[in-house]
Amino acid sequence: MTNLTRPPEYERLDATLARLQVVLPIGILVAVGIYAGVFQVWLIDHTDPWLTFILEFLIFGLVGAVAVWMALGWIRRLVDENIERDRQARTQERLLATISANSADAITLLDNDGCIKSWNRGAELLFGYTPPEILGKHFSLLVPQEHSTELDHIDQVLEENGFVRGWITQRLTRDGRMLTVELTRTLLRDENGALIGSSAILRDVTEREKNALAVREMNRQLETLVAQRTRELAESNRELRRRQHELEKANVELKQLDELKSEFVSLVSHELRAPLANISGSLELLLSDANNLTTNQRDLLSLANDQVERLARLVRGILNVSRIEAGQTLLQMQAFDITATVERICAQWQRCDTEHLWIVDAPGNLPSVWADRDRIEEVLTNLMENAFKYSDPETEIRVHCEPRDGEMVISVSDQGKGIESEDLRLIFDKFYRVERDDARRTYGYGLGLYISIKLVEAMGGKLWADSEMGKGSTFYFSLPLAGHTAPTYTSAMSVN
Ligand code: ADP
């Protein structure tokens, strides 16, 4: 091995030893010369020969021995340090060799001509070549035909930068399979900077690239889909806006029509009220002179009177509804005793309907309610009339009053056929009547409950119902107690 290939620390050691080889003898020679030329003459003249002998023995005997002892000690230290450095370097080399051997990546060394000098286990597994088959062969053996031109380019980049990193390309295996690899090349130089070859690390990224390709493809499809959906959405948005516009227009027209209809109905009802009152008065007058009428005539007049009464009720109902809907119902809110009102209306029903058992279940000392008394009488009459209409004779109709949670709850229960739960949600709608066998036998227009719920709600209460088929129904409504509400004497009611 020449000096050029020796590591720098050996160079330094060698230089120091060479210096020592010259300095040590010269130093001893000079020291002895000075002693012999200067001190020895003086010592012989001035001291005892024994003392001279002892001093000479010490000088000649010790200088050489100490100098040799120090030099050897120093050399030993240097040698120990070098041995330790060697040991560490070998350990590191071994570790690197183990890592390289066990790496899943292909790690190879190439000489300056691009021939393969080392081939690890990872390379063997990846490309299928064993070391004897590939060592000494040119690296281009792994390069497929279509990538042959890239080698020059890689060499050029290597020369410029000293390395090539993350180069995605393709390489051929022994059995002709094409692998997608990530290539890292690094130029290798010795300690004096001379180029001694390069390393090539190849990582199999076939799966990764396949997945990335799939993801890119999915992304592309997704973007196309999103763009398409966005276009569709924009289109349906436009369509929706157009429809909304049409609906708004239709709504305005409907509102106008509704107003026209309400005005018309209200006008007709007003116009009907007076003639109906006249007809009813005339019929009652005729009926009061019963002695001059045959039974047949009396029956006919009674029937006509009933029909006129029904017509008048319908007209009243329609007028009520149009007033409520126009917000023209004036409420006269006041505190009053609900028990007295309930008892009075019940007594009227008891007088004209002896077939049902009418029961008032209300303690005498209940707190007053805050409501419009006439409107509450109207609501009570509607509920009691329904109980009368929709339950059989000989059954019980019970009216109950009870203060509950700061309100007064009034209920009217009957033992009639009951109402199906689907109907129970709809009976408060305008003109809703339950389709049933006896519906034709009971007169009505489906307005009573609609008017009642609107009136009760306008007074700050609620109206609801419970029913069980075959057992009967109970209609409840709640009203605020007089002490719980700020006093108002009249209020306009508006219903949407
Ligand atoms: P109507 O004038 O038809 O009685 P309502 O608005 O008062 O109008 O009642 C609506 C419908 O609710 C009625 O047609 C009837 O079918 C049902 N209904 C109301 N009260 C009772 C009740 N007490 N028992 C059974 N069904 C009832």
Side-chain angles (χ1 to χ4, degrees):
M1 198 189 281
T2 64
N3 272 351
L4 273 178
T5 55
R6 283 191 350 201
E9 53 270 24
Y10 282 102
E11 285 298 328
R12 275 198 302 277
L13 178 65
D14 194 46
T16 314
L17 287 175
R19 268 199 304 276
L20 218 60
Q21 236 177 353
V22 177
V23 171
L24 212 59
I26 292 175
I28 294 171
L29 197 71
V30 170
V32 171
I34 292 171
Y35 171 75
V38 185
F39 288 105
Q40 199 183 34
V41 176
W42 184 83
L43 277 174
I44 291 169
D45 289 349
H46 294 86
T47 55
D48 187 346
W50 272 104
L51 186 66
T52 309
F53 169 75
I54 289 166
L55 274 172
E56 279 184 353
F57 175 74
L58 283 174
I59 287 167
F60 293 123
L62 273 182
V63 167
V66 167
V68 169
W69 178 77
M70 278 174 63
L72 285 177
W74 182 76
I75 290 167
R76 252 184 65 201
R77 256 201 328 280
L78 281 181
V79 169
D80 280 352
E81 275 173 19
N82 279 326
I83 289 173
E84 177 57 23
R85 249 199 305 272
D86 271 359
R87 199 184 59 75
Q88 282 179 5
R90 273 199 306 279
T91 311
Q92 210 160 351
E93 245 170 50
R94 223 181 16 256
L95 285 175
L96 281 175
T98 315
I99 291 170
S100 149
N102 295 325
S103 168
D105 295 339
I107 302 176
T108 66
L109 285 179
L110 311 180
D111 64 15
N112 284 335
D113 299 327
C115 293
I116 298 167
K117 277 170 60 187
S118 84
W119 185 251
N120 75 337
R121 178 88 182 119
E124 196 178 330
L125 291 173
L126 216 58
F127 292 99
Y129 291 104
T130 59
E133 282 171 331
I134 194 116
L135 288 179
K137 302 264 170 57
H138 199 268
F139 189 59
S140 59
L141 177 73
L142 305 173
V143 181
Q145 188 65 36
E146 56 268 39
H147 288 282
S148 55
T149 50
E150 82 181 21
L151 279 184
D152 288 342
H153 182 63
I154 290 175
D155 284 345
Q156 195 184 332
V157 178
L158 251 182
E159 213 168 298
E160 282 166 14
N161 301 337
F163 61 84
V164 171
R165 249 180 238 142
W167 185 284
I168 304 291
T169 180
Q170 285 180 316
R171 292 289 178 264
L172 266 181
T173 64
R174 187 174 189 270
D175 54 14
R177 269 181 308 118
M178 193 74 92
L179 292 182
T180 305
V181 294
E182 183 183 312
L183 172 71
T184 302
R185 292 276 308 269
T186 312
L187 283 185
L188 301 174
R189 294 177 190 280
D190 66 9
E191 54 270 24
N192 300 305
L195 200 62
I196 54 167
S198 63
S199 69
I201 302 175
L202 298 114
R203 171 166 294 178
D204 182 5
V205 292
T206 313
E207 274 306 302
R208 192 184 83 185
E209 286 299 301
K210 222 193 283 174
N211 291 343
L213 201 75
V215 168
R216 276 201 295 278
E217 175 59 17
M218 262 162 67
N219 261 349
R220 201 189 52 75
Q221 286 177 1
L222 216 69
E223 272 165 19
T224 320
L225 211 71
V226 167
Q228 190 186 334
R229 288 276 180 280
T230 313
R231 271 199 306 277
E232 285 172 12
L233 266 177
E235 180 55 36
S236 47
N237 241 356
R238 268 198 297 280
E239 178 64 17
L240 264 179
R241 271 204 296 279
R242 198 179 57 74
R243 292 253 170 91
Q244 192 184 347
H245 185 68
E246 279 175 14
L247 272 178
E248 276 165 7
K249 239 171 78 185
N251 213 10
V252 170
E253 281 168 11
L254 272 177
K255 265 195 185 143
Q256 285 169 348
L257 274 177
D258 204 44
E259 277 163 22
L260 267 176
K261 183 210 77 184
S262 296
E263 274 172 32
F264 173 75
V265 168
S266 157
L267 192 84
V268 170
S269 309
H270 271 297
E271 292 304 315
L272 280 176
R273 236 157 47 138
L276 278 176
N278 287 342
I279 296 170
S280 172
S282 310
L283 286 172
E284 269 166 26
L285 202 70
L286 282 174
L287 276 167
S288 64
D289 193 10
N291 294 340
N292 292 333
L293 298 171
T294 62
T295 318
N296 203 12
Q297 284 171 329
R298 212 171 33 245
D299 288 350
L300 278 174
L301 283 173
S302 292
L303 187 70
N305 203 20
D306 282 354
Q307 299 298 323
V308 169
E309 178 51 26
R310 279 185 63 182
L311 216 55
R313 285 163 68 87
L314 174 63
V315 169
R316 270 200 305 279
I318 291 175
L319 273 174
N320 246 338
V321 170
S322 45
R323 266 195 224 111
I324 287 173
E325 289 182 346
Q328 289 168 349
T329 307
L330 286 182
L331 297 176
Q332 298 247 299
M333 300 299 276
Q334 55 183 294
F336 65 92
D337 177 7
I338 187 73
T339 313
T341 309
V342 165
E343 276 171 349
R344 190 158 43 76
I345 300 173
C346 227
Q348 284 170 13
W349 276 101
Q350 262 163 341
R351 270 198 297 282
C352 58
D353 167 33
T354 47
E355 289 177 334
H356 288 92
L357 184 61
W358 290 87
I359 300 169
V360 176
D361 177 11
N365 55 348
L366 288 179
S368 300
V369 293
W370 183 256
D372 179 324
R373 193 194 331 233
D374 291 347
R375 298 302 185 179
I376 288 303
E377 281 183 11
E378 214 173 298
V379 171
L380 275 168
T381 307
N382 273 337
L383 298 184
M384 289 187 198
E385 189 181 341
N386 280 349
F388 161 76
K389 281 195 296 188
Y390 302 112
S391 68
D392 292 333
E394 311 298 325
T395 57
E396 183 184 292
I397 297 175
R398 180 180 291 267
V399 187
H400 176 71
C401 301
E402 169 194 356
R404 201 190 291 170
D405 301 330
E407 288 180 321
M408 183 67 73
V409 177
I410 301 108
S411 61
V412 179
S413 316
D414 62 55
Q415 296 175 330
K417 282 192 171 172
I419 308 162
E420 300 275 6
S421 54
E422 307 91 74
D423 291 319
L424 210 53
R425 279 180 284 121
L426 301 169
I427 52 175
F428 299 100
D429 289 353
K430 200 167 35 169
F431 295 117
Y432 188 83
R433 302 204 75 213
V434 179
E435 292 283 334
R436 53 211 242 177
D437 306 342
D438 58 355
R440 256 169 277 117
R441 287 198 281 118
T442 54
Y443 59 88
Y445 301 96
L447 288 177
L449 288 178
Y450 174 75
I451 292 170
S452 300
I453 199 167
K454 296 296 176 198
L455 288 174
V456 170
E457 282 173 358
M459 286 181 246
K462 284 197 282 288
L463 197 155
W464 69 100
D466 264 351
S467 188
E468 200 177 329
M469 289 307 288
K471 291 215 167 151
S473 317
T474 302
F475 284 78
Y476 303 86
F477 65 96
S478 63
L479 291 174
L481 295 180
H484 284 72
T485 321
T488 41
Y489 295 97
T490 53
S491 65
M493 181 184 123
S494 157
V495 178
N496 298 315

